[in-house]
Amino acid sequence: MQRLTGLRTLVDAYDGFILDAWGTLHEGGPILPEALEAVRHLHAAGKRLAVMSNTPQVGPVLARRLEGQGLPAALYDFPFTAGDLAHEDLRAADGPWFAGIGRRAYHLAPARFPDLLPGTPFTLVDRIEDADLLVNGGPDGDDLPLSSFEPLFRTAVARDIPMVCANPDRAIVNQGVLTMCAGELAAAYKALGGRVRYYGKPFPGVFERTLERLGTTAARTIVVGDGLMTDIASADSAGLDSLLIAGGLYADTLVTDAGTLVDDLAAAIRAISPDARPRYAMAKFVW
């Protein structure tokens, strides 16, 4: 694994850059100034850029959100999200997994993420007792304990209601605060015996689909992100090189108080995710 102090080292080695959003471009607030500078340089160099996020929002919604945070849509080619993948499957509602599932859905998600069910054959219901499918976009509130979902989940498991998880992330760092995501809810649901279908990183097809749209080869495309078990693991399984942004989700473990990478970075990474093998690492996404 090669340690980097800036992205400029890689600019000639790759034609395509697949960028994570949360933990790479921003930390829940405005786009980080150094990240914006890096994106501007990549765009000026004629690189193909995709923002691939595990958000349960669909791509156009993510693009509007990023624009509001300070990232102009003109600086990258397209957004692609776990929500896009989930919405496509929900819209089709086809294949063996959906066989026998009725068309009434209970949507567990923040109020700001309403866009998964419109355009699908599923009708939203207010009670889990009336549902055939549980669509999980995450908790509606950052301070809800995991235990508060147990009654809902036990009722759903007892009725053998399958879950669609539209964001496999278990946690994010939101402006310095570790915040639970949909993946943590899905893990709790599985632990109770529930069936879960995941969309997004690190599950199959994510980066293959992104490469198709980028029009770049795997050998000349790199994934940039802070998630060892999502961004880096997905890149490994898709045969792509990856750049770990150590100052994101695992900053407390991988970055020193001085803002540099810890000395035995490889051992620290293995302790978190034994199978994660980033080709490069740097503390922050900087040019």
Side-chain angles (χ1 to χ4, degrees), residues 136-139 167-172 179-186:
N136 172 18
N167 175 2
D169 287 348
R170 297 184 71 153
I172 53 172
T179 303
M180 181 170 59
C181 293
E184 187 72 10
L185 299 182

Side-chain angles (χ1 to χ4, degrees), residues 31-51:
I31 298 296
L32 299 168
E34 60 269 26
L36 180 59
E37 180 191 21
V39 172
R40 288 191 184 279
H41 279 288
L42 290 173
H43 177 73
K47 303 301 176 180
R48 293 280 291 168
L49 304 177
V51 177

Side-chain angles (χ1 to χ4, degrees), residues 23-94:
T24 300
L25 299 175
H26 67 86
E27 296 174 345
I31 298 296
L32 299 168
E34 60 269 26
L36 180 59
E37 180 191 21
V39 172
R40 288 191 184 279
H41 279 288
L42 290 173
H43 177 73
K47 303 301 176 180
R48 293 280 291 168
L49 304 177
V51 177
M52 173 62 221
S53 171
N54 265 355
T55 178
Q57 295 177 311
V58 294
V61 177
L62 173 63
R64 290 195 296 271
R65 194 176 84 199
L66 291 173
E67 185 96 34
Q69 291 171 279
L71 180 65
L75 290 182
Y76 61 98
D77 292 282
F78 60 89
F80 192 47
T81 71
D84 284 327
L85 293 166
H87 188 260
E88 287 175 14
D89 257 17
L90 288 167
R91 190 170 63 240
D94 196 14

Side-chain angles (χ1 to χ4, degrees), residues 255-270:
V255 177
T256 69
D257 291 341
T260 59
L261 299 172
V262 297
D263 288 339
D264 199 346
L265 181 63
I269 289 172
R270 285 195 301 271

Side-chain angles (χ1 to χ4, degrees), residues 28-205:
I31 298 296
L32 299 168
E34 60 269 26
L36 180 59
E37 180 191 21
V39 172
R40 288 191 184 279
H41 279 288
L42 290 173
H43 177 73
K47 303 301 176 180
R48 293 280 291 168
L49 304 177
V51 177
M52 173 62 221
S53 171
N54 265 355
T55 178
Q57 295 177 311
V58 294
V61 177
L62 173 63
R64 290 195 296 271
R65 194 176 84 199
L66 291 173
E67 185 96 34
Q69 291 171 279
L71 180 65
L75 290 182
Y76 61 98
D77 292 282
F78 60 89
F80 192 47
T81 71
D84 284 327
L85 293 166
H87 188 260
E88 287 175 14
D89 257 17
L90 288 167
R91 190 170 63 240
D94 196 14
W97 193 85
F98 283 95
I101 297 177
R103 295 298 184 256
R104 300 172 301 173
Y106 183 94
H107 191 194
L108 177 63
R112 66 184 184 278
F113 294 168
D115 41 287
L116 278 178
L117 290 177
T120 76
F122 291 91
T123 300
L124 183 66
V125 296
D126 295 328
R127 300 187 332 130
I128 194 64
E129 291 83 358
D130 299 326
D132 306 303
L133 179 67
L134 175 54
V135 179
N136 172 18
D140 190 10
D142 294 338
D143 56 351
L144 295 173
L146 185 59
S147 59
S148 67
F149 297 92
E150 186 171 341
L152 173 74
F153 288 171
R154 287 196 178 278
T155 298
V157 169
R159 298 187 63 243
D160 194 27
I161 298 174
M163 172 189 282
V164 162
C165 179
N167 175 2
D169 287 348
R170 297 184 71 153
I172 53 172
V173 177
N174 185 356
Q175 302 186 71
V177 179
L178 191 66
T179 303
M180 181 170 59
C181 293
E184 187 72 10
L185 299 182
Y189 195 64
K190 285 189 71 174
L192 290 172
R195 293 182 287 145
V196 180
R197 184 176 178 89
Y198 290 92
Y199 295 90
K201 302 173 285 188
F203 295 91

